[in-house]
Amino acid sequence: MSMKDRLVDQAKKLASSGRVVRVVSNDRVMRLATGVMDAKNRLRAAGERAAEAWDILLNGHALPNIDPALDDEAGVHGATPARAASARPAAGGAGLSTVEETVSARPPAAGRSHVNGVGANGAGANGAANGAGTYVAAAAEQQLATQMAARTSLSRIGGRDVFEKAYKFMTADNARAMGVYPFFRPLDFNNGPEAQLEGRTVTMLGSNNYLGLTTHPKVREAAKKAIDKYGTSMTGSRLVNGSMRLHNELEEKLAAYHGKEAGLVFTTGYQVNIATISALLANKRSVAMIDKDDHASIYDGVRLAQASGARMVRYKHSDPAALDSALSEIADTEGALVITDGVFSAQGEIASLPGIVEVVKKHKARLLVDDAHALGVIGPGGRGTAAHFGLGKDVDLIGGTFSKSLASIGGWLVGERKVLDYIQHFAYSFLFAASAAPPCVAAAMAALEVMQEEPWRQEKLRENFTYMRTELQRLGFELGKTETAVIPIYIRDDLKTVMMWKSLLDDYALYVNPFITPGVPPKQQVLRTSYMATHERKHLDHALEAFEKVGKKFGVI
């Protein structure tokens, strides 16, 4: 090994040590470093704001619209006053996506590294070696931490070249070069509780395959038969040549399963919310009343509705009293659609649906529940949030995705026939999108059948996530209000979250998902873990051992 390689290896070991990470991730150290390293950008941003204010005084221009989803508390009914705003996309984002850079980029990794991952050894050795003579590992980590902490969004950069913001986005490149980039990692294959990443078997705690049906023989066989019978695609939208009896059959089964009059099958779960919200709230007398922690697809659906004149009002997370206050303020001529996740995807928390239903009825509003993370997980027979509370008849619309418990790709919506008929005729994102492919529809239909034929899967899933929740709490981890298969481990620091993710993966072959700012609000950073019916006790105990050692190493427990 050359002297350069030895220096790099020593620097990497020093950088990943618990002592160094605790120092560079200390709040006071972070604030001091951020203030010093970001001084130039802060002055520039202040200058830009001053210029905008002067322009308004002179010309009377309106302030630019600020996306409410980027502000954690702005305009939220029931929120604590005077809380600092946090720049973030709608809930569900991964992070590292809109952070303005504060330091020049480290040289990009060379050799085997590729745009969406690190070197084949998973440690980013080639990238670390590049420029090793210039960068000390701890300083490089501090640089990355400062970039993570920056709050000015790249999306605000204007000018003649709309690509300028892309060229200035360096955080992901720097993280790849350091071997700590956690997103878009290509798996060799995913077999359920275990997966293969860069030739190495890992225990999978980062999948939403809650019932473990992606590898079920019946589900796989249904997809194969659908290809043989229908081909790989209908090559058209549902409006014209894209509908087939298979779609209608699944729609009828989903409606019957939920005790609703009708069902509608979509190409993706994301499309369900975009299409439904934009179709129903398409004028100036419509109000989207949403939980501030709703999924990004709900926010995007509301944005489309706002383009037609609708208003958005956010209420404090899972707070019926705040919803009541918000609904009390809408005009008599306005109609409101209340939209909430059934199970919140980052927190694993179940919505306060009984209180929400009561408030919705009081104000004669309508209610849409996104049950993406509830189907197959909670409620009798896995029927989701409304069934969990015995409120199936009190929720107007229930939607979700095929991509979790239904082991496929697509989306679904159930409710009154006339309402769904209106949506399929007035939602552009449904009318002009290619229909769900035959093998995807067939696989989802088979998974729905298996879900009802094998109730042990939901029971085993509950046993697994209850065991993990109990044991993680016993070890001293903070888990929030989770009651489901999603268990967040709160770290509350960007750099520490990423370094713990890396240690779990590199040292213990444990795959989890790090959620950092701006994808979550400040001090809400978590390692998101999720569990399956097909996890065995050996997988869970291995995970607990790894969490305990890494948690102690980084001073979290």
Side-chain angles (χ1 to χ4, degrees):
M1 181 183 289
S2 68
M3 177 65 71
K4 179 179 178 180
D5 290 338
R6 284 198 295 271
L7 288 172
V8 170
D9 186 59
Q10 291 173 0
K12 285 167 59 182
K13 289 180 179 177
L14 174 64
S16 62
S17 68
R19 183 174 298 176
V20 170
V21 172
R22 280 195 293 271
V23 170
V24 301
S25 62
N26 180 274
D27 282 346
R28 283 177 289 184
V29 175
M30 285 289 292
R31 284 197 295 270
L32 176 61
T34 298
V36 173
M37 300 177 74
D38 197 33
K40 179 179 177 181
N41 285 285
R42 288 170 184 263
L43 289 172
R44 184 178 66 189
E48 290 175 353
R49 288 194 294 271
E52 289 176 359
W54 182 249
D55 189 49
I56 292 165
L57 286 173
L58 289 179
N59 304 313
H61 296 319
L63 282 168
N65 290 327
I66 298 175
D67 181 357
L70 298 178
D71 188 341
D72 188 43
E73 298 292 0
V76 176
H77 276 262
T80 304
R83 176 173 171 177
S86 63
R88 70 182 183 102
L96 286 178
S97 57
T98 60
V99 184
E100 182 172 358
E101 305 316 312
T102 59
V103 195
S104 60
R106 182 176 180 176
R112 296 178 292 174
S113 297
H114 48 73
V115 69
N116 282 338
V118 297
N121 61 3
N126 292 330
N130 218 332
T134 308
Y135 292 89
V136 177
E141 286 187 3
Q142 182 61 67
Q143 171 184 320
L144 182 62
T146 303
Q147 292 171 341
M148 288 179 180
R151 284 291 174 271
T152 304
S153 172
L154 283 168
S155 63
R156 291 179 60 86
I157 295 177
R160 295 291 295 176
D161 187 358
V162 297
F163 285 3
E164 182 183 359
K165 61 181 72 69
Y167 301 136
K168 291 186 176 182
F169 174 55
M170 299 305 304
T171 306
D173 283 340
N174 292 342
R176 291 185 186 104
M178 293 174 63
V180 295
Y181 183 68
F183 309 119
F184 301 102
R185 299 291 293 268
L187 296 171
D188 302 327
F189 66 84
N190 185 359
N191 201 29
E194 294 182 350
Q196 190 173 84
L197 176 67
E198 296 168 352
R200 182 187 185 200
T201 298
V202 297
T203 300
M204 175 55 69
L205 297 190
S207 170
N208 298 320
N209 184 19
Y210 297 128
L211 299 179
L213 296 180
T214 58
T215 57
H216 194 285
K218 181 174 179 177
V219 176
R220 286 185 165 183
E221 187 62 26
K224 293 175 184 176
K225 287 182 176 179
I227 290 177
D228 291 340
K229 184 174 181 179
Y230 301 105
T232 57
S233 171
M234 297 304 291
T235 65
S237 71
R238 294 289 302 274
L239 177 67
V240 285
N241 68 299
S243 289
M244 56 184 176
R245 293 186 185 277
L246 201 61
H247 289 109
N248 298 139
E249 185 181 352
L250 179 54
E251 288 167 347
E252 292 169 2
K253 289 185 176 182
L254 284 165
Y257 176 70
H258 286 281
K260 294 295 185 182
E261 185 181 6
L264 192 59
V265 164
F266 294 76
T267 312
T268 69
Y270 208 98
Q271 184 195 32
V272 172
N273 286 328
I274 291 177
T276 302
I277 296 168
S278 63
L280 294 176
L281 306 178
N283 59 62
K284 294 181 179 180
R285 294 188 300 277
S286 301
V287 181
M289 196 73 63
I290 67 174
D291 186 298
K292 79 176 188 68
D293 285 357
D294 275 346
H295 190 262
S297 59
I298 292 172
Y299 274 96
D300 274 355
V302 174
R303 288 187 186 98
L304 282 178
Q306 286 177 309
S308 298
R311 292 197 299 121
M312 175 174 73
V313 177
R314 301 191 304 158
Y315 62 90
K316 186 177 178 182
H317 173 57
S318 204
D319 187 334
L323 174 61
D324 187 21
S325 173
L327 284 170
S328 297
E329 295 182 9
I330 69 172
D332 291 339
T333 56
E334 292 180 311
L337 176 65
V338 177
I339 313 161
T340 181
D341 287 3
V343 170
F344 290 87
S345 60
Q347 301 101 317
E349 181 183 354
I350 302 174
S352 302
L353 200 59
I356 291 171
V357 165
E358 182 180 350
V359 171
V360 167
K361 286 185 174 182
K362 172 184 174 181
H363 293 278
K364 295 181 171 58
R366 295 292 185 175
L367 177 60
L368 165 62
V369 173
D370 181 344
D371 254 357
H373 292 272
L375 183 74
V377 179
I378 61 174
R383 286 174 173 81
T385 312
H388 175 73
F389 290 108
L391 296 170
K393 295 181 179 179
D394 298 298
V395 176
D396 299 296
L397 295 169
I398 304 173
T401 177
F402 295 169
S403 63
K404 297 170 176 58
S405 290
L406 293 182
S408 185
I409 290 291
W412 57 273
L413 183 70
V414 295
E416 291 183 59
R417 185 193 68 81
K418 287 293 291 181
V419 177
L420 270 57
D421 193 39
Y422 179 89
I423 291 168
Q424 73 175 357
H425 282 92
F426 285 86
Y428 285 1
S429 51
F430 179 82
L431 283 168
F432 302 109
S435 65
C440 296
V441 177
M445 187 150 49
L448 183 65
E449 293 170 359
V450 172
M451 211 160 68
Q452 297 169 81
E453 294 165 355
E454 301 180 6
W456 66 265
R457 290 180 179 270
Q458 188 186 355
E459 295 167 8
K460 181 63 176 177
L461 173 64
R462 176 172 293 279
E463 177 187 317
N464 283 346
F465 70 68
T466 300
Y467 174 72
M468 288 301 292
R469 185 178 65 224
T470 301
E471 291 302 304
L472 286 168
Q473 287 173 332
R474 181 185 62 78
L475 289 174
F477 287 104
E478 181 187 357
L479 307 182
K481 298 178 180 180
T482 178
E483 304 172 71
T484 65
V486 174
I487 299 182
I489 299 175
Y490 283 86
I491 310 301
R492 303 193 184 281
D493 177 90
D494 281 330
L495 182 60
K496 191 176 291 186
T497 301
V498 172
M499 296 307 293
M500 287 182 68
W501 160 82
K502 179 175 170 57
S503 180
L504 288 167
L505 184 61
D506 289 353
D507 301 333
Y508 300 96
L510 187 64
Y511 191 109
V512 301
N513 293 314
F515 280 20
I516 61 176
T517 58
V520 294
K523 297 300 178 183
Q524 297 298 311
Q525 298 91 334
V526 301
L527 292 172
R528 181 188 184 273
T529 69
S530 50
Y531 300 90
M532 304 178 228
T534 47
H535 275 129
E536 298 175 16
R537 187 56 60 91
K538 66 178 181 180
H539 298 124
L540 305 182
D541 287 340
H542 166 69
L544 288 169
E545 179 184 0
F547 283 131
E548 181 176 16
K549 291 180 178 177
V550 174
K552 289 179 178 178
K553 174 182 177 182
F554 288 92
V556 174
I557 57 172

